[in-house]
Amino acid sequence: MIKAILIFNNHGKPRMSKFYEHYTEDTEQQIIRETFHLVSKRDENVCNFLEGGLLIGGSENKLIYRHYATLYFVFCVDSSESELGILDLIQVFVETLDKCFENVCELDLIFHLDKVHNILAEMVMGGMVLETNMSEIITQVEAQGKMEKSETLTLLFICQSMRQSQASRFSSKIS
Amino acid sequence: MALKIVKGSIDRMFDKNLQDLVRGIRNHKEDEAKYISTCIDEIKQELKQDNIAVKANAVCKLTYLQMLGYDVSWAAFNIVEVMSSSKFTYKRIGYLAASQCFHEGTDVIMLTTNQIRKDLSSPNQYDTGVALTGLSCFVTPDLARDLANDIMTLMSHTKPYIRKKAVLIMYKVFLKYPESLRPAFPRLKEKLEDPDPGVQSAAVNVICELARRNPKNYLSLAPLFFKLMTSSTNNWVLIKIIKLFGALTPLEPRLGKKLIEPLTNLIHSTSAMSLLYECVNTVIAVLISLSSGMPNHSASIQLCVQKLRILIEDSDQNLKYLGLLAMSKILKTHPKSVQSHKDLILQCLDDKDESIRLRALDLLYGMVSKKNLMEIVKKLMLHVDKAEGTTYRDELLTKIIDICSQSNYQYITNFEWYISILVELTRLEGTRHGHLIASQMLDVAIRVKAIRGFAVAQMATLLDNAHLLTGNTQRNGICEVLYAAAWICGEFSEHLEDPMQTLEAMLRPKVATLPGHIQAVYVQNAAKLFATVLQKHEGETDSQAAQETSQLLIDRLPLFVQSANLEVQERASCILQLVKYIQKLQQKNVEVAEEVTALFAGELNPVAPKAQKKVPIPEGLDLDAWINEPPSESESEDEKPKVVFAKEEPKHYRSRHTEVDEKELARRREVRKQEQANNPFYIKASPSSQKVYDAPGVEHIPVVQIDLSVPLKVPGMPMSDQYLKLEEERRQKEKAERKKKEKKKKREKRGKGRKADSGPESEEDITPAHQVDIVTEEMPENALPSDDDDKDPNDPHKALDIDLDKPLADSEKLPVRTHRPEVLKSPAEDRDSKSVPQETKKKSSKEKKEKKKDKEKDRKRSKEEKKKKKKHKEVEEELLESQPEEAVQSEETKEAAAPPTSTSAEASDLDFWLSSAPVPPAAAQEVTAPSSAAAVDTSSAAAPESEPDEPKDTEPEDTKSSKHKKKKQKKEKEEKEKKKKKRHHHHHHHGDAGGEDSVQNGTVEEEEPLPPMSNYSLLAENSYIKMVYDIQGNHQDESKVVVSVIFENKSDSFLKSMEFNVLDSLNSKLQRPEGAGPHDGLTVPFQLPPGVSNEARFVFSVQSIVMPQKLKGTLTFIVKSDESSTHEKLDFKLHFTCTSYLITTPCYSDAYAKLLESGDLKGSSLRLEGINMPFHHLLARICFHHHFSVVERIDSCASMYSRSIQGHHVCLLVKTSDQTVSIDAKCDEPSLLGNVLDEIKQTFSKC
């Protein structure tokens, strides 16, 4: 089981957090800080696994992380997950983000938190890996994106027609 | 109204959206909190509006703020509002917010039940998907209970996207509502074979997660997982399954034996490191679980170790880390194989990555031996010096101590060396582990009598140099060692060279800066030293020195009397008064030494930490009963001081020592001596113990005496190094001496023994430098050996410890929303409960049979069987309890055949599956005949009523030709068929056919293990490879059949790059992956090492099923031997019989009757002559080979039913009289029927 997925930047600012067990907001922040503290002091060329008495779950759990440019992607998992498998999963996640945002950077994650969550929801559900096939994930994300777009388009259309009618009313008043 | 909404959305244009909020926060870096609080106010305003778009926007912003750590639970109700929007866009925002901040305590959750149910059944798959995703995060027990049935329905949704999500969320539902597990499990199991890989993977995921917590309930799934493992190519799924097997093997060693081969193949063939690593891990788990050795046992270990070495040597730090991790697992059971890689491990200690260093340290712990301990510790000591001021150094320190002290100091040959290591460690500043070192010093000094003299000398030096350690007392944990030093010097003061000097050192004013508990020990032990000094001087009749000592104490002790620490104060004042009194006596020239020494007389013995707990309560003793009437208030006050005193003592001896008075001690000592005398395992300090050490004269070995006045540090070389050198010299000398002796006493007993060892310097050869008497820890008499580990009672997974093989009871159905009361009895339940009595009987007969078989083979197996039998008995009892209600139900169905419950069938299946594997073919052949004969005997005795039992005679051609492998296949097939059956039960539960339920259907052949029957027939064969195949309908798709082909490598070479190709006909086509041309072959997803077989499945689409078909095909493959590789091919003809389009489908007699009455069916008939097999055997054959099920059977007449994949009904009426069998058949497709009958005829003409 995956216990939590955290994304934060080089300064420890959270960019996305997903906890699959309930914690209070304070504890969540504490976990993020503690995790950042552990992860950030590690060199670039050391292994990507960390054990340790964390707030989440205790010693059975492991932190598996990857560092991309300004962002850390950290998965907190228990012993039922394969370490190398999770590393691959992080890679898939990042590549998917890259595809969906077209050259993803930190700013994309900052401004589109909801979208990141939606992408993640197609990969991991309730702490269990749902899908690892990138093209399948992207297909589903895009299909949902299209649905959203069509809904907002109809809304915009209504707005526009409203405006036009208002404008015409306005012009008729003038005339 | 519409206008209002539109107006709202225009307003929205002016609202801040998420991007604006983020931008705003970034622009207000200084006063972020203030800015956010104004934003929250705005959000509150927005939430008050009616417009859902505005609300959704607000909720979206709240989700962001929640991530930043703001509590947004106050908006829970608004989130629910947004969730219930009809627009997907908003719904998704709502569910996301809910998944981030809802939890079991959120009260509005109960409002969501209906909304979620509506979304789950939405025609839009993404509505359902979003609801499932959200639910997975905030499902509560109530939600789980109310929605379990809806989600279960979704597990069979047409869209794989929904199916996989529904399967996955079931795990959460199980956790919150454990009652749902049993009803949902059959369907979950079914999903393991879902055509969509995503759904399959989800099902594997869930079952693995369930099985990890309660593995024993899932053992019966092992064959299925085994099949998946050999057929799946999805690495994710493979990893999960392999991990699951790792959890299962400890429960069933036979499973492990079966696994070794495929896992080894995978290790050889896979290129994915993750998969390789998990395979190695599971092989290790298997090897650990196998207590007894197996032939290629060491080969597997070697393979693992070798692969791990490759990982460790890899430049990728991750692989290195994992390699070390897995290595430590091997270490526990096979230390020898790891020890050869010591160089590599030691190398890892120099790694720059701390995680890797720590892993390497863990490994070292298990790698030490008597031979290399000193060397390894020396290396570690070097690292300690290098790692100045890091937490890693502390880790090193504890590891050094762990390594040395493990299993009762087993590997230490020279305790003087160990003491000096400990003393060296005290030089570390700022370590947290002072108390660890201290406890080691105490432990060694107490338990190794021979070392006391040396230890005391070292401790005296430590005390003398105490100022080194006390520099910054409070934060320096190392001063704890002074506690040990003081106690050792005091307790064993008779070994001190100059007790006066030590006493002096202990009473220095600087001591007052030490922590209180250490000072207390100083004071107490100063008194002990005082006693020793007195005694020494009394002999010399030199009263002057003794009096000086008293004076010293009287001068110094007042400092401690003033101590703020209660303990120190109390002890100091007691002792001060005592010394004053003694001084008085001394002045009168009274000899006091003996009396003073008596204060501290008596020997200490180590007591096991759990000893107190393990004292059994004597019979008839009630600890809660009052011995006297409850004491009055005044009495309790008298006891108080005692309590305080009693508390001090254990603290000193690290709670190892319980307080006992002098007499009791003496008595105990007597008892112990007696015991030790009677205990053959106790190593006595008497001369006879020399034998134990196998050294014919340890006393003669010159051990270089170390001058005790040598200062702590030898310039240029730390002290322990000296020992290393000395030790080496000593060993060499010893060796030389031994050689000499051996030459002299040739052919002595001992010489023989040693030759067998033959190693240049094996473990046994190294004799300890000291006569070491490691005092074992004392345990009370008849201590209870049980060491019950405490499981966490709060573990949510405990609730999921449910026997899944038991039949479902009526009460266990999932709650379904319905207004009508359920009138219909579920057929499955009815049948299951009915069959119980017979079932148990059969089970026991089967058990007997198996036991017989086992006795012939080996005793060990039969033991297991017995265990199992016990278990079955329990089941039996359980089942018997439920009998009364069955009696009522069974009346109407007296003559009906009782289909098996899955319990027995699966349990025995598993047994069979497992036991069949390791038996060599020849043995299997031998065994089957008598055992099946036994089966006939026992079962006919047990079940005299004329039941349609399975054919019990072994089919000779099958047993002889197919050996054990075929049996396995058959079992697998049965397994498949069973599953199919279950599926159909489901249809009856949920479909509309449920109204016609009856108890009379079911296939006969599963009632008892059948004699080997196989539907696999030969496809093609040459000198390299043999292919057998079986075709089955795919009940999910009416135009598809699955061809399972087993490839068996008959050669000594490696077969790879196998490609399976078929020339499609108009009617039947091989399903090829998208993008492949119509003539492309399919790659077989595995390679075959010599002698290995594996199964692959190919899907064919068919249009018309009324005629049998033949397809030509070719298998191409590369034969790779050591020298060469050649391209080979093998042609074959796939024969699609009409039978293969039939699916075993149960039918109830009412429905059957209606079907026949309807008149839609055309008839045909068949006569078979000269059939001399029992009727039930005949039925079993038809059932098995032609996928029929028995609807009803009366004497020598039976009705049978089957259905084709395209829904044709096929009904048979089989009658027999005097070797003649007549079959009247009806079907809505005459040509199909004709072909099926032809095939049945063929089946029986063969035998």
Side-chain angles (χ1 to χ4, degrees):
Chain A
M1 288 275 281
I2 299 171
K3 302 288 164 119
I5 296 173
L6 309 174
I7 306 177
F8 43 74
N9 71 0
N10 287 347
H11 307 290
K13 277 246 165 21
R15 292 308 177 210
M16 193 216 68
S17 65
K18 182 88 208 165
F19 291 86
Y20 293 104
E21 273 164 20
H22 175 69
Y23 296 99
T24 63
E25 274 77 13
D26 288 341
T27 326
E28 286 184 4
Q29 293 304 309
Q30 210 179 325
I31 291 170
I32 294 173
R33 272 197 302 275
E34 193 183 316
T35 312
F36 169 70
H37 185 71
L38 282 172
V39 165
S40 62
K41 68 175 181 204
R42 292 175 64 83
D43 288 338
E44 276 303 298
N45 47 6
V46 298
C47 73
N48 300 45
F49 313 119
L50 258 175
E51 304 155 66
L54 285 155
L55 280 168
I56 313 177
S59 57
E60 210 210 48
N61 291 340
K62 258 193 192 124
L63 289 181
I64 298 172
Y65 72 96
R66 270 183 189 272
H67 189 198
Y68 293 93
T70 60
L71 291 174
Y72 284 98
F73 289 73
V74 186
F75 280 47
C76 179
V77 302
D78 69 11
S79 61
S80 74
E81 299 294 339
S82 145
E83 291 89 346
L84 293 171
I86 293 292
L87 272 184
D88 286 346
L89 187 70
I90 300 180
Q91 184 68 29
V92 171
F93 184 31
V94 174
E95 280 180 33
T96 313
L97 287 177
D98 197 52
K99 285 253 167 69
C100 292
F101 284 112
E102 284 159 17
N103 272 328
V104 69
C105 69
E106 195 184 338
L107 282 176
D108 291 321
L109 303 200
I110 297 172
F111 285 110
H112 301 281
L113 177 68
D114 48 345
K115 201 170 171 191
V116 179
H117 270 295
N118 294 336
I119 293 168
L120 184 64
E122 295 301 324
M123 292 180 65
V124 181
M125 191 175 123
M128 286 190 282
V129 178
L130 179 68
E131 184 61 70
T132 51
N133 181 348
M134 191 158 66
S135 59
E136 169 72 13
I137 298 167
I138 291 175
T139 317
Q140 301 299 353
V141 168
E142 277 174 357
Q144 292 174 58
K146 252 179 221 159
M147 263 185 70
E148 191 177 352
K149 216 170 246 170
S150 71
E151 280 179 2
T152 41
L153 270 183
T154 42
L155 202 75
L156 277 178
F157 179 71
I158 298 171
C159 294
Q160 264 172 2
S161 59
M162 261 268 294
R163 257 183 224 156
Q164 275 167 6
S165 67
Q166 268 180 340
S168 60
R169 220 179 299 154
F170 188 64
S171 56
S172 66
K173 261 183 199 169
I174 288 175
S175 62
Chain B
M1 184 63 198
L3 200 81
K4 204 172 168 190
I5 293 171
V6 173
K7 195 168 162 292
S9 43
I10 290 173
D11 287 346
R12 197 188 142 206
M13 311 256 163
F14 306 105
D15 287 340
K16 232 182 256 161
N17 62 13
L18 176 62
Q19 281 74 32
D20 299 323
L21 173 78
V22 174
R23 212 165 285 135
I25 294 174
R26 286 164 70 81
N27 290 337
H28 290 77
K29 284 226 168 76
E30 286 80 42
D31 52 347
E32 195 182 288
K34 202 175 140 209
Y35 178 76
I36 288 177
S37 74
T38 60
C39 286
I40 289 179
D41 288 340
E42 280 170 29
I43 289 170
K44 280 182 180 162
Q45 287 306 315
E46 285 166 29
L47 286 176
K48 279 184 191 144
Q49 293 191 35
D50 285 338
N51 189 322
I52 195 72
V54 178
K55 269 188 192 163
N57 182 42
V59 165
C60 187
K61 286 190 278 186
L62 282 180
T63 314
Y64 184 82
L65 294 179
Q66 195 272 343
M67 182 193 72
L68 294 184
Y70 290 85
D71 177 25
V72 299
S73 54
W74 49 269
F77 185 76
N78 303 103
I79 293 173
V80 175
E81 282 180 305
V82 176
M83 273 162 73
S84 50
S85 158
S86 58
K87 284 232 171 5
F88 172 73
T89 317
Y90 305 144
K91 192 186 287 296
R92 185 158 73 164
I93 291 172
Y95 271 106
L96 172 60
S99 73
Q100 289 295 86
C101 68
F102 280 13
H103 54 94
E104 268 183 39
T106 311
D107 42 7
V108 293
I109 276 197
M110 57 188 185
L111 301 178
T112 59
T113 316
N114 275 316
Q115 178 58 42
I116 295 173
R117 182 173 283 143
K118 212 176 102 196
D119 290 334
L120 288 182
S121 53
S122 160
N124 182 348
Q125 64 165 330
Y126 292 114
D127 281 352
T128 316
V130 153
L132 284 173
T133 307
L135 191 60
S136 73
C137 289
F138 58 78
V139 61
T140 63
D142 285 343
L143 279 179
R145 191 195 54 232
D146 295 340
L147 297 172
N149 203 54
D150 301 68
I151 299 172
M152 221 169 102
T153 322
L154 288 180
M155 281 166 76
S156 315
H157 199 272
T158 49
K159 297 239 166 62
Y161 178 75
I162 299 300
R163 280 211 300 278
K164 73 181 176 194
K165 287 197 167 191
V167 168
L168 213 52
I169 202 179
M170 276 321 270
Y171 177 67
K172 294 274 171 171
V173 174
F174 295 151
L175 271 187
K176 300 288 179 188
Y177 179 56
E179 289 86 342
S180 62
L181 178 56
R182 287 184 14 85
F185 193 71
R187 192 172 294 191
L188 183 62
K189 208 165 130 188
E190 194 181 298
K191 293 295 147 206
L192 284 176
E193 293 184 297
D194 195 282
D196 184 82
V199 183
Q200 199 185 32
S201 148
V204 169
N205 226 331
V206 170
I207 291 185
C208 287
E209 203 61 48
L210 288 169
R212 198 166 64 94
R213 309 293 181 156
N214 301 298
K216 65 176 188 312
N217 299 336
Y218 298 87
L219 259 181
S220 59
L221 288 181
L224 182 58
F225 274 115
F226 188 82
K227 207 173 75 198
L228 279 178
M229 183 177 81
T230 45
S231 59
S232 176
T233 49
N234 181 344
N235 278 353
W236 274 94
V237 171
L238 281 175
I239 287 175
K240 280 280 170 193
I241 293 175
I242 287 166
K243 272 194 159 254
L244 173 69
F245 276 131
L248 290 183
T249 42
L251 301 170
E252 182 52 273
R254 285 177 295 168
L255 175 64
K257 288 185 188 167
K258 243 184 128 72
L259 283 172
I260 288 271
E261 190 186 281
L263 285 178
T264 320
N265 292 344
L266 267 178
I267 291 176
H268 281 303
S269 62
T270 185
S271 59
M273 274 302 177
S274 45
L275 185 58
L276 173 87
Y277 174 68
E278 295 305 338
C279 285
V280 170
N281 248 335
T282 298
V283 170
I284 294 168
V286 167
L287 293 174
I288 289 171
S289 73
L290 291 175
S291 44
S292 60
M294 51 183 279
N296 54 351
H297 192 87
S298 57
S300 312
I301 277 285
Q302 276 314 313
L303 175 69
C304 289
V305 174
Q306 175 201 334
K307 286 281 172 188
L308 289 179
R309 188 174 173 112
I310 294 173
L311 289 187
I312 297 172
E313 280 171 339
D314 200 287
S315 60
D316 184 345
Q317 297 283 339
N318 292 329
L319 296 182
K320 193 173 267 192
Y321 173 88
L322 292 175
L324 289 169
L325 196 65
M327 202 69 122
S328 62
K329 286 182 196 150
I330 301 186
L331 190 67
K332 278 172 207 142
T333 46
H334 302 85
K336 286 247 165 67
S337 12
V338 181
Q339 266 159 11
S340 53
H341 300 284
K342 198 180 74 190
D343 55 318
L344 190 65
I345 314 282
L346 284 174
Q347 216 175 302
C348 289
L349 277 183
D350 295 320
D351 201 282
K352 55 189 175 300
D353 189 345
E354 191 177 305
S355 314
I356 287 174
R357 289 200 303 259
L358 289 177
R359 286 276 138 257
L361 272 182
D362 277 352
L363 269 173
L364 275 183
Y365 174 82
M367 287 172 58
V368 290
S369 62
K370 281 184 180 161
K371 207 169 102 186
N372 62 18
L373 174 74
M374 285 178 147
E375 185 197 340
I376 287 180
V377 171
K378 183 188 166 193
K379 185 116 202 223
L380 291 181
M381 291 299 279
L382 282 179
H383 282 280
V384 169
D385 290 340
K386 266 194 254 172
E388 182 77 45
T390 54
T391 48
Y392 173 63
R393 194 183 61 170
D394 275 1
E395 199 63 39
L396 267 172
L397 194 154
T398 46
K399 265 285 141 21
I400 290 176
I401 289 176
D402 280 354
I403 286 174
C404 293
S405 63
Q406 66 179 310
S407 33
N408 222 354
Y409 307 104
Q410 188 191 343
Y411 301 117
I412 294 184
T413 50
N414 187 339
F415 278 92
E416 287 188 12
W417 164 81
Y418 185 43
I419 293 275
S420 28
I421 285 284
L422 289 175
V423 171
E424 258 174 61
L425 286 176
T426 62
R427 294 203 310 256
L428 300 182
E429 259 180 57
T431 177
R432 289 179 291 120
H433 295 301
H435 63 275
L436 250 180
I437 304 175
S439 70
Q440 280 294 299
M441 286 172 167
L442 286 171
D443 202 41
V444 172
I446 293 170
R447 294 175 59 186
V448 187
K449 283 187 182 139
I451 201 67
R452 280 180 192 165
F454 180 76
V456 166
Q458 292 290 311
M459 295 306 124
T461 335
L462 258 186
L463 284 178
D464 230 8
N465 299 332
H467 57 276
L468 291 173
L469 306 174
T470 54
N472 26 21
T473 46
Q474 291 311 322
R475 64 175 184 85
N476 196 347
I478 205 69
C479 65
E480 288 286 334
V481 295
L482 292 176
Y483 174 103
W487 190 87
I488 292 171
C489 285
E491 186 64 27
F492 308 116
S493 49
E494 68 269 20
H495 298 287
L496 270 178
E497 284 248 309
D498 187 0
M500 191 60 202
Q501 193 195 342
T502 312
L503 184 60
E504 166 96 56
M506 277 167 72
L507 292 172
R508 281 183 200 140
K510 193 114 198 243
V511 173
T513 58
L514 286 170
H517 65 284
I518 299 178
Q519 283 184 57
V521 175
Y522 266 71
V523 172
Q524 186 77 12
N525 286 287
K528 290 183 196 166
L529 277 176
F530 174 60
T532 319
V533 174
L534 279 190
Q535 203 170 25
K536 230 181 189 172
H537 289 303
E538 212 138 75
E540 297 161 15
T541 62
D542 177 11
S543 63
Q544 190 59 35
Q547 281 187 19
E548 270 172 25
T549 321
S550 313
Q551 194 53 48
L552 176 75
L553 278 170
I554 291 169
D555 289 345
R556 299 279 174 86
L557 278 177
L559 176 69
F560 297 103
V561 177
Q562 291 160 15
S563 168
N565 188 301
L566 200 71
E567 177 98 18
V568 181
Q569 199 188 68
E570 199 165 32
R571 286 178 189 233
S573 52
C574 266
I575 290 165
L576 183 61
Q577 287 315 310
L578 186 73
V579 176
K580 277 182 182 163
Y581 180 65
I582 290 168
Q583 199 184 28
K584 256 189 223 162
L585 291 175
Q586 277 175 332
Q587 279 157 2
K588 289 178 194 159
N589 272 334
V590 183
E591 295 211 340
V592 285
E594 206 167 310
E595 273 121 11
V596 177
T597 329
L599 278 176
F600 308 106
E603 201 190 341
L604 288 165
N605 283 298
V607 176
K610 283 181 186 161
Q612 184 64 47
K613 234 186 1 192
K614 296 219 167 177
V615 178
I617 297 175
E619 238 175 276
L621 176 66
D622 180 8
L623 287 175
D624 293 330
W626 288 108
I627 298 169
N628 299 312
E629 281 308 295
S632 61
E633 296 293 289
S634 58
E635 266 175 308
S636 65
E637 259 181 26
D638 286 358
E639 280 168 5
K640 250 185 186 168
K642 247 190 200 164
V643 173
V644 169
F645 195 71
K647 256 186 174 170
E648 306 165 342
E649 284 299 311
K651 200 171 148 197
H652 280 264
Y653 311 129
R654 299 170 50 240
S655 78
R656 262 212 185 145
H657 190 258
T658 40
E659 166 97 288
V660 270
D661 60 64
E662 197 75 359
K663 264 188 200 165
E664 174 67 10
L665 243 175
R667 195 189 59 78
R668 276 202 196 170
R669 214 175 300 141
E670 269 314 302
V671 172
R672 193 173 53 250
K673 267 183 194 154
Q674 201 87 63
E675 229 174 82
Q676 285 168 357
N678 297 334
N679 185 356
F681 301 111
Y682 183 77
I683 302 168
K684 295 175 196 88
S686 57
S688 65
S689 69
Q690 284 170 10
K691 260 186 215 155
V692 178
Y693 289 105
D694 211 43
V698 181
E699 290 97 317
H700 307 303
I701 301 165
V703 177
V704 180
Q705 277 298 317
I706 291 148
D707 192 356
L708 291 179
S709 60
V710 173
L712 251 185
K713 294 180 203 174
V714 180
M717 187 196 235
M719 215 172 157
S720 56
D721 282 2
Q722 248 184 356
Y723 283 100
L724 199 60
K725 266 199 170 169
L726 287 174
E727 182 72 16
E728 268 163 27
E729 278 167 28
R730 184 177 72 86
R731 279 185 197 171
Q732 232 140 42
K733 262 186 206 165
E734 231 169 82
K735 238 196 237 129
E737 222 164 281
R738 203 179 294 130
K739 261 184 198 160
K740 256 189 239 163
K741 266 182 197 164
E742 253 168 53
K743 266 181 199 165
K744 272 182 205 163
K745 318 176 191 177
K746 261 184 202 169
R747 293 237 147 241
E748 251 198 37
K749 275 182 214 162
R750 210 178 286 127
K752 258 188 206 167
R754 206 162 275 148
K755 253 169 214 163
D757 285 341
S758 79
E761 196 178 354
S762 67
E763 285 284 278
E764 285 78 9
D765 291 341
I766 301 164
T767 53
H770 294 269
Q771 267 292 35
V772 182
D773 173 17
I774 300 176
V775 186
T776 45
E777 291 168 332
E778 281 185 358
M779 280 296 234
E781 279 172 77
N782 17 309
L784 306 164
S786 66
D787 213 350
D788 34 340
D789 43 311
D790 15 15
K791 264 192 175 173
D792 184 10
N794 296 327
D795 186 5
H797 301 282
K798 234 186 162 184
L800 287 180
D801 190 358
I802 296 169
D803 185 2
L804 294 164
D805 294 333
K806 253 194 331 195
L808 272 181
D810 238 344
S811 56
E812 283 187 297
K813 280 176 85 176
L814 284 178
V816 187
R817 262 189 317 157
T818 172
H819 298 296
R820 284 151 279 133
E822 289 273 305
V823 191
L824 301 166
K825 225 178 283 155
S826 121
E829 283 157 29
D830 209 33
R831 254 199 4 251
D832 283 349
S833 51
K834 206 249 148 196
S835 66
V836 163
Q838 286 110 321
E839 204 39 56
T840 43
K841 248 183 254 164
K842 274 177 210 153
K843 213 183 292 159
S844 56
S845 76
K846 192 183 158 332
E847 220 74 53
K848 272 179 219 158
K849 174 181 81 184
E850 266 184 7
K851 248 170 80 185
K852 235 178 210 178
K853 183 165 76 178
D854 289 338
K855 265 180 202 160
E856 287 168 32
K857 274 187 275 180
D858 56 17
R859 254 191 229 150
K860 205 187 140 209
R861 187 85 61 72
S862 84
K863 252 182 214 164
E864 267 166 42
E865 218 59 61
K866 266 180 208 161
K867 243 188 248 163
K868 227 160 240 158
K869 200 177 174 191
K870 224 191 233 168
K871 213 169 82 193
H872 279 218
K873 262 189 194 153
E874 280 166 25
V875 176
E876 206 172 319
E877 275 163 22
E878 228 171 90
L879 293 171
L880 284 175
E881 278 173 18
S882 57
Q883 241 176 348
E885 29 176 321
E886 288 149 26
V888 188
Q889 294 171 357
S890 58
E891 268 185 8
E892 41 171 333
T893 59
K894 236 172 206 162
E895 70 281 86
T901 56
S902 53
T903 331
S904 71
E906 255 165 43
S908 57
D909 261 6
L910 182 69
D911 250 13
F912 191 90
W913 181 75
L914 288 168
S915 57
S916 68
V919 185
Q925 220 172 325
E926 276 173 24
V927 168
T928 34
S931 71
S932 53
V936 179
D937 290 344
T938 47
S939 63
S940 59
E945 65 265 69
S946 71
E947 274 205 17
D949 277 346
E950 298 67 40
K952 263 156 218 137
D953 57 334
T954 44
E955 286 161 279
E957 82 276 16
D958 260 341
T959 9
K960 273 174 201 159
S961 63
S962 62
K963 295 176 190 166
H964 77 282
K965 213 160 233 161
K966 217 157 189 186
K967 266 201 290 188
K968 177 178 121 196
Q969 291 157 7
K970 195 217 89 199
K971 275 289 156 190
E972 273 174 12
K973 232 199 73 81
E974 266 196 7
E975 187 85 12
K976 255 182 248 160
E977 247 165 29
K978 211 165 291 146
K979 226 155 282 132
K980 235 183 266 163
K981 222 182 86 190
K982 266 189 204 138
R983 246 168 246 167
H984 293 301
H985 291 330
H986 264 291
H987 296 317
H988 283 286
H989 278 303
H990 302 282
D992 39 13
E996 303 297 328
D997 291 349
S998 146
V999 223
Q1000 294 156 320
N1001 71 87
T1003 49
V1004 191
E1005 88 262 64
E1006 293 163 13
E1007 277 183 297
E1008 252 186 44
L1010 275 167
M1013 279 206 285
S1014 171
N1015 266 350
Y1016 281 89
S1017 44
L1018 186 68
L1019 183 57
E1021 188 175 13
N1022 65 10
S1023 57
Y1024 298 108
I1025 194 164
K1026 179 180 171 186
M1027 295 195 282
V1028 291
Y1029 77 112
D1030 179 32
I1031 305 175
Q1032 275 172 1
N1034 184 340
H1035 33 86
Q1036 267 148 358
D1037 194 327
E1038 55 176 33
S1039 63
K1040 299 237 164 73
V1041 289
V1042 179
V1043 179
S1044 317
V1045 185
I1046 298 177
F1047 299 90
E1048 187 187 347
N1049 185 349
K1050 291 166 63 190
S1051 67
D1052 302 328
S1053 326
F1054 209 83
L1055 300 188
K1056 52 186 244 180
S1057 309
M1058 286 188 278
E1059 218 175 74
F1060 182 91
N1061 201 1
V1062 170
L1063 268 178
D1064 292 345
S1065 70
L1066 274 178
N1067 192 37
S1068 312
K1069 292 188 170 65
L1070 176 61
Q1071 289 288 100
R1072 296 177 165 88
E1074 268 179 65
H1079 304 296
D1080 292 349
L1082 279 184
T1083 315
V1084 180
F1086 47 77
Q1087 306 179 331
L1088 285 180
V1092 170
S1093 65
N1094 204 342
E1095 184 173 6
R1097 310 172 109 200
F1098 304 96
V1099 180
F1100 284 78
S1101 61
V1102 286
Q1103 280 175 345
S1104 161
I1105 60 161
V1106 298
M1107 295 288 282
Q1109 290 261 338
K1110 274 187 185 165
L1111 288 186
K1112 277 187 188 170
T1114 319
L1115 181 82
T1116 56
F1117 52 94
I1118 294 174
V1119 181
K1120 198 173 180 224
S1121 55
D1122 289 338
E1123 310 90 53
S1124 64
S1125 61
T1126 51
H1127 224 90
E1128 296 288 340
K1129 74 175 209 175
L1130 177 61
D1131 292 329
F1132 56 82
K1133 253 186 202 170
L1134 262 176
H1135 190 72
F1136 289 87
T1137 57
C1138 282
T1139 294
S1140 53
Y1141 302 128
L1142 296 184
I1143 299 174
T1144 317
T1145 315
C1147 181
Y1148 302 107
S1149 58
D1150 312 11
Y1152 189 74
K1154 267 191 189 165
L1155 196 64
L1156 290 178
E1157 278 164 20
S1158 70
D1160 301 338
L1161 308 183
K1162 316 253 178 342
S1164 176
S1165 65
L1166 172 74
R1167 266 179 94 79
L1168 300 167
E1169 304 279 349
I1171 305 287
N1172 53 353
M1173 61 170 71
F1175 187 50
H1176 56 263
H1177 290 192
L1178 179 102
L1179 293 185
R1181 281 189 171 236
I1182 298 178
C1183 285
F1184 185 78
H1185 291 298
H1186 300 284
H1187 309 161
F1188 275 86
S1189 64
V1190 174
V1191 180
E1192 201 167 355
R1193 182 188 158 196
I1194 301 158
D1195 296 334
S1196 59
C1197 180
S1199 50
M1200 304 177 91
Y1201 175 78
S1202 183
R1203 237 169 84 122
S1204 77
I1205 50 173
Q1206 294 179 356
H1208 303 292
H1209 303 281
V1210 186
C1211 305
L1212 299 183
L1213 184 66
V1214 186
K1215 281 183 236 162
T1216 179
S1217 61
D1218 303 335
Q1219 305 204 343
T1220 309
V1221 177
S1222 67
I1223 300 177
D1224 292 312
K1226 284 194 168 180
C1227 175
D1228 39 11
E1229 180 54 64
S1231 53
L1232 174 69
L1233 183 62
N1235 288 316
V1236 170
L1237 287 182
D1238 282 350
E1239 282 157 20
I1240 293 179
K1241 196 172 174 181
Q1242 254 177 19
T1243 310
F1244 287 98
S1245 66
K1246 266 189 227 158
C1247 48

